[in-house]
Amino acid sequence: MDLMNNKIQLPLEKLPRKWLNIAPFMKSKPYPLLLPNGKPADFDTMCQIFPTECVKQAVSQEEFIDIPKEILEAYVLCSRPTPIQRAYRLEKAIGVEGDDIKIFFKREDVSPMGSHKGNTAIAQAYFAREQGLKGLTTETGAGQWGSALSLGGALMDLQIKVWMVRISYQQKPGRKTLMNSLGATVLPSPSDQTQAGKKFYEKDSNHPGSLGIAISEAVEASMSSDEFRYSLGSVVDFVCLHQTIVGQEAKMQMEMINEYPDVIIGCIGGGSNFAGLAFPFMKDKLTGKKPNLDIIGVEPMACPSLTKGEFTWDFGDTAHVAPIVKMYTLGNSFIPAPVHAGGLRYHGAAPLVSLATHDGVMRSIALHQLETLNAGIIMSKSEALIPAPETTHALAAAINVAKEAKQNGEKKTILYNHSGHGFLDLQAYEKLIAGDLVDYEYPDEEVKKSLSELPDVDESTFMG
Ligand SMILES: *Cc1c(COP(=O)(O)O)cnc(C)c1O
């Protein structure tokens, strides 16, 4: 092991001061967001949903967007710049030790809430407060996003209201306590606080809920008050933008040790941690500097939106209150099997990640959870890190790429995004160790059915 190369720390003064906007570099023109009625979303309507500054960023064609000083300070408080590590012991554990094959990973797990999500939570909370809003509403499934936004709210002095899917609210009291300790209000969804929630709540006050219902409640609550806006933790392009601090740091860190990765890997739920690491490198591919760079998004086999979905217009949510986007989707009514990587169970993928896939700038693969969580076990025993179930998808793919390169006698430098730690999601490992974990493959029939319920959109009316 080369001690000096084991942990690559970016000096604080090199912390990126701007986010990188990949939109102006894309091969094809990005598509606009549409309102649920199928018409292109106008600026004013978008500003009724999201903080105004975020809407501006979403339509910006500037290459770089300044990160305000207060956000930079909060980033530093939350462990930015994060280290990159070379996984020497993992390489040895999987039999690829030596200097032909190198596995590096970016440590987004070191942030206080344990994942990359804070990078956008802090930014959105700041922009909401600067605009004079009282607070943000959001939904959370497993609780990672709710905790990140709660921290953003605490740091920026903003009220956060989280609708948490009731089944998780009951099964993950630790996440709820975490959010409460940061001052956020957490409501089990469906709740009796919104029309959308009441419909279900009044029939069954113990309704387990779903992400779709929780989204509807959070959107309704923001729309019915002038002082609140809605906050999303993934999928939309301004979220991917906020995450690009990750990849910009990573590029400089790799430069510091005279490396440039051959392969970039990230797991994909809505696509934000992947985009955060990949976009700054993808720019080099799009501008012809690194034409052979291999960029891989990794999905669960139970929810392979990019790998097996269709590139088409679809609602961002099950309840059809969120905007319509052109993306790879399994259909908005597709309900994935309850795999443990809860953060990867989204029916679509971020518009820019979808477009990059469609343009052939990146590719995607899908893996089963038994394989990925077993990779998580290898990681925890070799590198002393228990990855989040979501993260194990990127990790397992990195291991596969490394082993394949070894077999083919190739040299390869691999960099993957270690998006989060698994300390609050240990049930997945508990089941794996007990032998109770099963694999789910998505049922073709279900997807076909769900893809038959897409919105009617006539592109020719707005794409010149
Ligand atoms: C939420 C989450 C993801 C998936 O979300 P993306 O927007 O696709 O990044 C991945 N890893 C961790 C640790 C998460 O919490």
Side-chain angles (χ1 to χ4, degrees):
M1 178 194 294
D2 177 352
L3 255 190
M4 301 318 288
N5 270 1
N6 188 36
K7 208 170 248 181
I8 305 128
Q9 288 283 8
L10 194 69
L12 200 48
E13 64 272 16
K14 290 246 179 104
L15 182 75
R17 307 297 163 103
K18 294 166 196 291
W19 291 301
L20 173 73
N21 183 12
I22 196 76
F25 298 97
M26 296 300 284
K27 263 193 194 167
S28 15
K29 191 177 150 200
Y31 293 86
L33 291 184
L34 309 183
L35 296 175
N37 65 13
K39 302 265 179 303
D42 58 290
F43 188 79
D44 291 343
T45 311
M46 292 308 287
C47 292
Q48 282 164 21
I49 307 176
F50 301 114
T52 304
E53 202 54 38
C54 295
V55 178
K56 283 187 191 157
Q57 292 166 358
V59 297
S60 168
Q61 284 296 311
E62 296 292 316
E63 176 181 352
F64 286 109
I65 292 171
D66 284 331
I67 308 176
K69 183 163 171 284
E70 206 178 327
I71 295 181
L72 288 171
E73 285 166 0
Y75 277 175
V76 171
L77 184 73
C78 295
S79 310
R80 302 224 72 85
T82 62
I84 276 188
Q85 239 166 281
R86 167 110 181 246
Y88 283 104
R89 290 177 53 104
L90 173 71
E91 290 169 12
K92 188 154 182 236
I94 61 166
V96 303
E97 68 268 37
D99 254 353
D100 285 349
I101 292 157
K102 302 170 188 167
I103 303 177
F104 292 93
F105 58 105
K106 179 71 167 155
R107 302 258 340 244
E108 290 304 296
D109 61 310
V110 299
S111 84
M113 294 299 115
S115 84
H116 65 286
K117 289 192 171 77
N119 297 328
T120 188
I122 286 168
Q124 290 186 46
Y126 170 84
F127 291 126
R129 192 207 60 207
E130 281 300 281
Q131 189 181 333
L133 297 170
K134 203 181 207 174
L136 288 169
T137 68
T138 198
E139 75 287 337
T140 197
Q144 289 114 318
W145 170 241
S147 330
L149 190 64
S150 300
L151 177 63
L155 296 180
M156 296 300 169
D157 202 12
L158 196 79
Q159 280 186 32
I160 304 296
K161 277 190 199 165
V162 184
W163 273 265
M164 185 174 191
V165 177
R166 179 174 278 104
I167 184 86
S168 307
Y169 183 91
Q170 289 163 346
Q171 289 177 352
K172 298 199 159 187
R175 283 280 183 195
K176 175 184 169 282
T177 306
L178 193 55
M179 292 185 258
N180 287 148
S181 74
L182 291 160
T185 307
V186 186
L187 299 133
S189 166
S191 73
D192 59 357
Q193 308 281 306
T194 66
Q195 295 306 323
K198 264 191 205 154
K199 267 198 286 186
F200 299 93
Y201 182 84
E202 279 168 2
K203 271 188 224 137
D204 176 6
S205 63
N206 200 32
H207 191 294
S210 72
L211 209 50
I213 300 171
I215 294 175
S216 313
E217 291 204 86
V219 173
E220 183 187 320
S222 71
M223 300 282 267
S224 56
S225 159
D226 264 357
E227 298 180 296
F228 279 80
R229 291 292 185 277
Y230 172 61
S231 174
L232 262 177
S234 185
V235 185
V236 282
D237 292 335
F238 65 77
V239 173
C240 294
L241 173 84
H242 298 157
Q243 294 295 347
T244 57
I245 184 143
V246 175
Q248 292 183 80
E249 285 178 10
K251 257 178 98 170
M252 286 189 272
Q253 286 162 305
M254 296 304 278
E255 256 165 44
M256 282 166 62
I257 52 164
N258 299 315
E259 296 277 3
Y260 193 100
D262 303 299
V263 190
I264 302 277
I265 300 173
C267 65
I268 299 219
S272 74
N273 89 86
F274 165 84
L277 179 69
F279 281 179
F281 292 96
M282 193 183 278
K283 182 186 145 192
D284 289 347
K285 185 166 182 175
L286 288 164
T287 55
K289 259 199 208 145
K290 295 282 173 189
N292 299 322
L293 179 62
D294 190 11
I295 309 175
I296 310 173
V298 191
E299 307 184 299
M301 200 62 102
C303 191
S305 329
L306 289 173
T307 311
K308 296 188 178 176
E310 216 176 280
F311 186 57
T312 186
W313 294 96
D314 195 9
F315 290 102
D317 69 318
T318 320
H320 303 181
V321 293
I324 297 172
V325 290
K326 179 104 173 200
M327 61 180 173
Y328 277 93
T329 177
L330 297 166
N332 65 73
S333 59
F334 177 75
I335 301 188
V339 287
H340 280 278
L344 304 186
R345 295 173 67 237
Y346 181 65
H347 66 273
L352 286 173
V353 172
S354 292
L355 193 60
T357 304
H358 191 65
D359 285 345
V361 184
M362 58 171 282
R363 62 191 176 106
S364 69
I365 57 170
L367 297 178
H368 275 301
Q369 64 176 355
L370 266 169
E371 176 181 1
T372 70
L373 285 161
N374 272 312
I377 295 275
I378 300 173
M379 187 71 173
S380 76
K381 289 199 286 198
S382 58
E383 297 285 341
L385 292 170
I386 301 178
E390 291 85 359
T391 309
T392 61
H393 289 71
L395 166 66
I399 292 175
N400 291 346
V401 169
K403 283 183 173 170
E404 210 182 288
K406 168 97 180 172
Q407 255 171 15
N408 298 338
E410 296 167 327
K411 292 190 172 186
K412 215 154 242 187
T413 299
I414 301 160
L415 171 63
Y416 84 86
N417 199 355
H418 198 88
S419 57
H421 70 62
F423 286 123
L424 289 162
D425 301 278
L426 288 170
Q427 307 95 318
Y429 289 102
E430 187 185 327
K431 278 212 167 151
L432 175 75
I433 292 160
D436 290 340
L437 200 74
V438 292
D439 281 336
Y440 298 95
E441 187 137 3
Y442 85 117
D444 282 286
E445 283 313 302
E446 286 299 308
V447 173
K448 246 185 228 142
K449 208 171 102 206
S450 159
L451 275 173
S452 67
E453 294 164 32
L454 298 174
D456 249 337
V457 172
D458 181 3
E459 255 178 45
S460 66
T461 58
F462 53 84
M463 290 301 283

